[in-house]
Amino acid sequence: MIFYCFSHLFLFMYLFYIVIQFLLLFFFFFFKQKTAYEMLRSLVGSEMCIRDRIMALTDTNRPSPSWYMLKGVCYDVEEGDAGMAAAFAASFALCKQHSLRVLVTVSHSAPYAVPDKAALMAGFLQDSNIDYLSPQLYTSGRERENDFAFTADFPWTRYKGMKPALVPSIVRASLLPAAKAFFDELGISTQGFVQWAQA
């Protein structure tokens, strides 16, 4: 009788272990594998979303110390509503109040699907709370050469006099000399790069 009870207990514990392993694998593959683009594009959608997410990162009343280990925040701005410039500026300022560095990356020279992209980019280029501005010199992330096409109605010459450091997003490090030469010819200095190669 004792052996029978223990065998059933062992079987129950083993099944419990299998279920836990399955749940962990499910969580890892369906939640942890989201890309920075998938997670960060949600910041573009609304003013409340931006404010609340940055406040969540910087709220000193939160008990978990893991939030405070962040060095900065990356904004991948490609799609969004019009009239978001003020909300973005406020969130950048909030980051700086909490000593977080700010990197903004956009599709080519400006967000491709923001109705007032020119006004938004004008603000980004003159915002001293943005540490790094990183235009993406690619479309798929598998290019063998930089793609210097500019986003409609926002030529690269608009980057002259920008306040953030220009760190272009390129597919691989070997493409940096070409990117640097391109911007040097326009009188715009680069100060590093971001690599976004796709597997």
Side-chain angles (χ1 to χ4, degrees):
M1 184 68 179
I2 294 176
F3 175 79
Y4 179 81
C5 291
F6 271 103
S7 64
H8 276 69
L9 178 62
F10 176 80
L11 180 61
F12 174 79
M13 292 177 64
Y14 180 74
L15 290 175
F16 180 77
Y17 172 79
I18 295 297
V19 170
I20 293 298
Q21 292 297 313
F22 174 80
L23 290 175
L24 287 174
L25 284 173
F26 179 85
F27 179 82
F28 180 79
F29 283 106
F30 288 91
F31 292 95
K32 289 296 187 182
Q33 293 298 307
K34 286 190 175 183
T35 64
Y37 172 77
E38 291 171 324
M39 291 185 288
L40 292 174
R41 67 178 288 186
S42 61
L43 286 171
V44 181
S46 70
E47 179 176 353
M48 182 176 292
C49 188
I50 293 171
R51 185 191 65 230
D52 291 350
R53 285 170 187 256
I54 299 301
M55 287 300 292
L57 295 179
T58 57
D59 184 357
T60 54
N61 293 321
R62 284 180 171 263
S64 173
S66 61
W67 294 107
Y68 318 135
M69 298 175 68
L70 294 175
K71 299 296 184 183
V73 177
C74 172
Y75 295 77
D76 186 350
V77 185
E78 302 189 39
E79 302 176 353
D81 299 329
M84 296 296 296
F88 272 113
S91 70
F92 300 152
L94 185 60
C95 284
K96 301 312 290 183
Q97 288 175 22
H98 293 273
S99 302
L100 293 169
R101 284 177 287 182
V102 174
L103 182 149
V104 175
T105 181
V106 296
S107 39
H108 296 283
S109 62
Y112 72 91
V114 174
D116 58 348
K117 62 176 70 68
L120 186 65
M121 282 303 300
F124 287 173
L125 291 167
Q126 295 303 313
D127 195 327
S128 58
N129 288 317
I130 299 176
D131 297 288
Y132 311 103
L133 186 57
S134 187
Q136 299 159 13
L137 304 183
Y138 60 83
T139 300
S140 70
R142 297 180 177 86
E143 288 82 353
R144 295 171 182 253
E145 298 179 348
N146 293 319
D147 183 353
F148 295 112
F150 60 84
T151 307
D153 302 322
F154 204 87
W156 293 112
T157 52
R158 298 284 298 272
Y159 276 58
K160 288 184 178 180
M162 62 186 291
K163 290 184 178 179
L166 177 63
V167 290
S169 287
I170 54 181
V171 176
R172 58 185 62 86
S174 60
L175 299 179
L176 179 60
K180 186 176 186 307
F182 175 81
F183 287 108
D184 282 348
E185 190 172 337
L186 295 174
I188 306 168
S189 298
T190 58
Q191 300 183 44
F193 69 97
V194 176
Q195 179 172 306
W196 289 77
Q198 299 294 307

